[in-house]
Amino acid sequence: MNWRDHIHSNPDILGGKPVVRGTRISVELILEYLAEGAPVGEVLDGYPSLKEADVLAAIAFSHDLLVKQASAASREAA
């Protein structure tokens, strides 16, 4: 799955925070639910416009962002 098919940023939507396409549901909000222990089904129940693929894309987006930041930090430290 390519998270770019599900997640995007637009300065006019939530100040440019990454959101699920076609919604104002931020990646940050999805991750907050998951970090608090909510199962994916609970997130989907709370936001019926979301699909499971959107939640997985939010996780994949976050993973890629962390890898990119770690890589940049390693280059700066060298």
Side-chain angles (χ1 to χ4, degrees):
M1 172 225 308
N2 186 348
W3 61 258
R4 290 169 185 82
D5 295 336
H6 299 267
I7 308 296
H8 77 115
S9 296
N10 179 330
D12 296 329
I13 300 172
L14 293 181
K17 286 184 177 183
V19 298
V20 175
R21 286 189 185 279
T23 76
R24 296 178 64 82
I25 301 169
S26 68
V27 168
E28 178 183 9
L29 177 70
I30 294 168
L31 294 177
E32 284 177 17
Y33 271 93
L34 297 174
E36 291 173 3
V40 172
E42 185 177 317
V43 178
L44 298 176
D45 288 345
Y47 297 91
S49 62
L50 287 181
K51 306 290 183 252
E52 183 176 7
D54 297 325
V55 175
L56 297 176
I59 296 167
F61 167 83
S62 300
H63 172 267
D64 285 359
L65 181 62
L66 288 172
V67 168
K68 184 176 178 180
Q69 287 177 342
S71 200
S74 292
R75 284 192 304 274
E76 287 177 12

